[in-house]
Structures are given as structure tokens and as C-alpha cells.
Amino acid sequence: MNDSLEPDGPVTEPLPVVQEGPRGRAGTASSSDVANEAEVAPELRRAVARYLDHLVVERGLAANTVSAYRRDLARYLEHLTATAAHVRVPRDITADHVRAFVRSIREGDAAHPALSARSSARVLAAVRGAHAFWVTESSVDTDVASRVSPPMPPQRLPKAIGVTEVENLLAAPDPDTPAGLRARAFLELLYATGARISEAVALDVDDLAGLHDEDLALIRVTGKGAKQRLVPVGSFAVAALDRYLVRARPELARHGRGSPAVFLNARGTRISRQTAWNMVKDAARTIHQEERITPHTLRHSFATHLLEGGADLRVVQELLGHASLATTQIYTRVSVESLREVYATSHPRAR
């Protein structure tokens, strides 16, 4: 296992989109962010930039989400410019233009690979969000994108792993090294809370204020849209966090300037998502499960094991931070599939 505490490197998360332009002031979008092709109509660039500013300032979306929307919309403008030169303002766009764009990203071209149904639906979500915003700001009268249905991705069940496999994964990091202590605490936290990797990376020490509550240990997690929730933490995760906070974090913090982050790198600053990802993959590699296990596997396993243990679906929804119960219901299918498999292999008259 790699116990190195080297400073975080760049996060490389390829997106099927056009190149970003230079950024404007921190956290906001300039028109050059949206598309750097000179022939794109200026009003289209400005309209998209207003929407991105709305996402940052009014909706408070995470930087990674806004960056993905920015790139997807840049590709949208690129497509409109290449295929519908008469489109100069949002009011010129029709539902047929949006449908043609969806077809183009599904088929791909020399500059862009074809996208899966799931990735295409994500890109279309950015486009639909922009069109809905233009209606609210009265740039257009009708939301033409709302008439365009996203491609239907194949139904894929979350990939949970068994309790024994989880226990093996959590025990993989070396508890005698600072990197191992950090990795053990991070993994225990992911499984104990079902937090997304971005949520765990974003934790500050103040978010752990309820960790030693006499009745129930709690941490504060900030999810999508800056929505906060309190999540219980089990005793194993509390112990792992305590060991990290006492034995490893002070040494890491000594190299920095007083970062409030819970999980620090060798420079004493907040770890990156890439470093967090590597911690999970290193542990998975140790138990020879590198291909099966990702940070999201622990989130899926958290939800699946709760439901198998009798937890109420709405409680699991709250713990995961899902806005819609329909999103959480996918885990009930996991349990049903598990029951079906056990029945098929165990009952003498199942076949």
C-alpha cells in the first residue's frame, strides 16, 4: 500500500466538453469562460455567463458542478454556431436545435467521442437549466428545452460490497504511519456516514463538534447546493478519527498555515479529491479489489447495509442527503436482487 504523504497533485477528471477559456473573478463566470470561439454570438455568450453566475451566486452550487456546466454549455454554443448560424440570441433557439444537439453528442464527431446515455443526460441537464433560467429572466418566452427528453440510460444497480469486504478494506491502511492513520479515518468516515467523497474532503474541524456527544456522535456534512445535514457516526469511525486527529493531523498541520480542514496533505492544506480517491484505491489494491471498489462503493454499501438491517427508506434518504426519495429507492432494488439471488441458490424448488 502507498503510505506516501506527498502534496496533492492536479485532479484529472476528463470531461467530454470543449476547452475552457480564462476565468473571470474568483467563483464567477466571464463570457470568455463559456466559449472561446470568436464566431459565437456575443449575446449567447453573455446569456450563458449570466446563468453560470446565477449558479454560483444564487444557488451556491459546488465549484466542480459549475465547472462541468460551463464546459457542457460551451459545447452547446459550439454546436449552435456550427449548425445554426442564424441563432444569435436565446430567443432564436428552438426545441429542434436542442434535439439536434443531443443527437450530436450521442453520435460524436472528429473532435468529441460519442457520449453514453447517462453522460448525454448530464449535458442536457445543463442545457435545460440554462433555458429555464432564461425564461425566469425574461430573455425568452418559452422553455423549448423542457420539451426535449433526455436519453434513457440502462438501469444499473449500485455496486455494494459485503460487510466482510468492507471490514477488510477498512483494515487495509497501516495504522503505524501518518498516511495510514489518515486513510483509515477517511475510509471509516465514508462507510460510517455514507458521505460523498467531495463532502468528506470538504469537512472542517468545526464540523466534528458533535463527535463526542454523550448520546449520539454527529458530524455536520455539507452536500449539494450547500445544504447541510447532521449524520450519526459509529464508534469505530469515532475511534479512527480520534487517532488521526491526535497522532497524525498535528504533524501535518505544522507544515501549513492553520487550515481548518480535517484531512490535510503534506503541505498542511486540504487534501484534493484525487488524493482521497487514491487512498480508497490503495486500500482496495491491498485486498486485491482495485477494480471493484471506488469511494462511491462505500456510499452504496452504507445505504444497502442500512436497508438490509431494517432502516426506514426515508431515514436513509436523509442520511444520504438525497433531495428525492426516488433516488434513494434504487437501493431497495439492490436488496430485492440480493433476496432473489439467495432464494435462487438456496431453495430446493427455486429452479
Side-chain angles (χ1 to χ4, degrees), residues 142-157:
T142 305
D143 184 355
V144 296
S146 66
R147 307 172 192 170
V148 181
S149 299
M152 292 300 294
Q155 191 73 39
R156 292 189 298 177
L157 295 177

Side-chain angles (χ1 to χ4, degrees), residues 98-120:
V98 181
R99 292 189 187 97
F101 173 63
V102 174
R103 285 196 299 272
S104 75
I105 61 178
R106 290 287 280 138
E107 295 169 359
D109 55 34
H112 305 99
L115 298 188
S116 66
R118 190 175 301 275
S119 295
S120 298

Side-chain angles (χ1 to χ4, degrees), residues 76-156:
Y76 183 46
L77 296 193
E78 181 186 67
H79 171 82
L80 290 173
T81 299
T83 62
H86 64 282
V87 172
R88 311 301 295 172
V89 296
R91 197 179 299 273
D92 295 335
I93 303 173
T94 68
D96 285 340
H97 291 132
V98 181
R99 292 189 187 97
F101 173 63
V102 174
R103 285 196 299 272
S104 75
I105 61 178
R106 290 287 280 138
E107 295 169 359
D109 55 34
H112 305 99
L115 298 188
S116 66
R118 190 175 301 275
S119 295
S120 298
R122 177 184 62 78
V123 175
L124 179 59
V127 173
R128 292 176 72 170
H131 279 273
F133 171 76
W134 294 332
V135 172
T136 63
E137 69 164 12
S138 300
S139 294
V140 299
D141 299 323
T142 305
D143 184 355
V144 296
S146 66
R147 307 172 192 170
V148 181
S149 299
M152 292 300 294
Q155 191 73 39
R156 292 189 298 177

Side-chain angles (χ1 to χ4, degrees), residues 19-310:
Q19 187 72 29
E20 276 191 85
R23 296 180 64 85
R25 67 183 185 279
T28 61
S30 67
S31 59
S32 59
D33 287 331
V34 177
N36 53 20
E37 298 292 335
E39 63 269 29
V40 172
E43 181 51 36
L44 287 178
R45 290 202 305 268
R46 287 193 289 269
V48 172
R50 290 196 303 273
Y51 173 57
L52 295 174
D53 284 339
H54 162 75
L55 295 181
V56 173
V57 177
E58 298 184 34
R59 293 185 56 189
L61 295 191
N64 287 331
T65 302
V66 175
S67 179
Y69 273 48
R70 177 183 298 113
R71 297 172 186 176
D72 292 339
L73 290 168
R75 182 168 178 179
Y76 183 46
L77 296 193
E78 181 186 67
H79 171 82
L80 290 173
T81 299
T83 62
H86 64 282
V87 172
R88 311 301 295 172
V89 296
R91 197 179 299 273
D92 295 335
I93 303 173
T94 68
D96 285 340
H97 291 132
V98 181
R99 292 189 187 97
F101 173 63
V102 174
R103 285 196 299 272
S104 75
I105 61 178
R106 290 287 280 138
E107 295 169 359
D109 55 34
H112 305 99
L115 298 188
S116 66
R118 190 175 301 275
S119 295
S120 298
R122 177 184 62 78
V123 175
L124 179 59
V127 173
R128 292 176 72 170
H131 279 273
F133 171 76
W134 294 332
V135 172
T136 63
E137 69 164 12
S138 300
S139 294
V140 299
D141 299 323
T142 305
D143 184 355
V144 296
S146 66
R147 307 172 192 170
V148 181
S149 299
M152 292 300 294
Q155 191 73 39
R156 292 189 298 177
L157 295 177
K159 296 179 180 178
I161 57 177
V163 175
T164 300
E165 289 177 293
V166 170
E167 291 174 344
N168 291 339
L169 181 74
L170 300 183
D174 184 354
D176 295 324
T177 67
L181 287 169
R182 184 185 66 181
R184 176 76 66 87
F186 192 81
L187 293 172
E188 287 276 8
L189 181 73
L190 289 180
Y191 180 60
T193 64
R196 302 174 178 92
I197 188 171
S198 57
E199 295 171 343
V201 167
L203 283 173
D204 289 338
V205 173
D206 287 347
D207 295 324
L208 308 184
L211 200 60
H212 298 101
D213 189 284
E214 293 183 1
D215 297 320
L216 181 65
L218 296 168
I219 65 168
R220 182 175 61 230
V221 176
T222 302
K224 293 183 177 180
K227 294 180 180 178
Q228 294 186 336
R229 64 187 189 276
L230 291 176
V231 183
V233 184
S235 60
F236 288 91
V238 171
L241 282 165
D242 280 342
R243 287 192 293 270
Y244 163 71
L245 292 171
V246 172
R247 295 168 52 189
R249 189 181 182 280
E251 176 63 21
L252 297 173
R254 187 171 62 84
H255 301 290
R257 299 181 179 179
S259 170
V262 172
F263 296 103
L264 302 177
N265 60 26
R267 294 192 300 269
T269 60
R270 190 182 306 275
I271 63 171
S272 70
R273 289 178 52 166
Q274 187 66 51
T275 294
W277 180 277
N278 287 339
M279 285 194 288
V280 177
K281 298 305 281 186
D282 284 345
R285 189 178 301 112
T286 300
I287 63 171
H288 309 292
Q289 296 290 340
E290 183 181 7
E291 298 302 318
R292 292 184 60 207
I293 296 175
T294 71
H296 229 59
T297 303
L298 288 173
R299 179 170 166 87
H300 293 325
S301 302
F302 164 84
T304 301
H305 296 167
L306 279 175
L307 288 170
E308 290 177 345

